[in-house]
Amino acid sequence: MARKATDCRDTPSVSGCSLYMAGEEEELVRAAVQHVVTVHEHQDSPELREEIRASMKDPLPGT
């Protein structure tokens, strides 16, 4: 399976989080949900997981 990435800098927030994560899609969804729930105080939901999937992109070279 291809690697995907997500970057908190793509979604402006009060915290100014700059976390960048990359991994296989299911692995990345699990990690990103855990991060946005614990750090950004979002509620886990099917809609949140879908937003995360929609925001994924190809990772930067070397990541």
Side-chain angles (χ1 to χ4, degrees):
M1 184 176 273
R3 289 174 56 89
K4 290 297 197 178
T6 187
D7 190 337
C8 285
R9 295 172 296 182
D10 291 342
T11 306
S13 68
V14 174
S15 67
C17 185
S18 65
L19 184 66
Y20 177 88
M21 293 185 276
E24 291 186 8
E25 186 172 333
E26 290 307 313
E27 178 181 57
L28 184 56
V29 169
R30 286 191 304 271
V33 167
Q34 182 178 358
H35 172 72
V36 299
V37 167
T38 59
V39 175
H40 297 279
E41 301 179 355
H42 291 271
Q43 295 293 322
D44 187 1
S45 68
E47 293 82 11
L48 175 65
R49 291 170 182 267
E50 190 54 40
E51 287 177 28
I52 290 169
R53 284 184 199 284
S55 73
M56 289 182 182
K57 54 190 172 189
D58 291 335
L60 297 172
T63 59

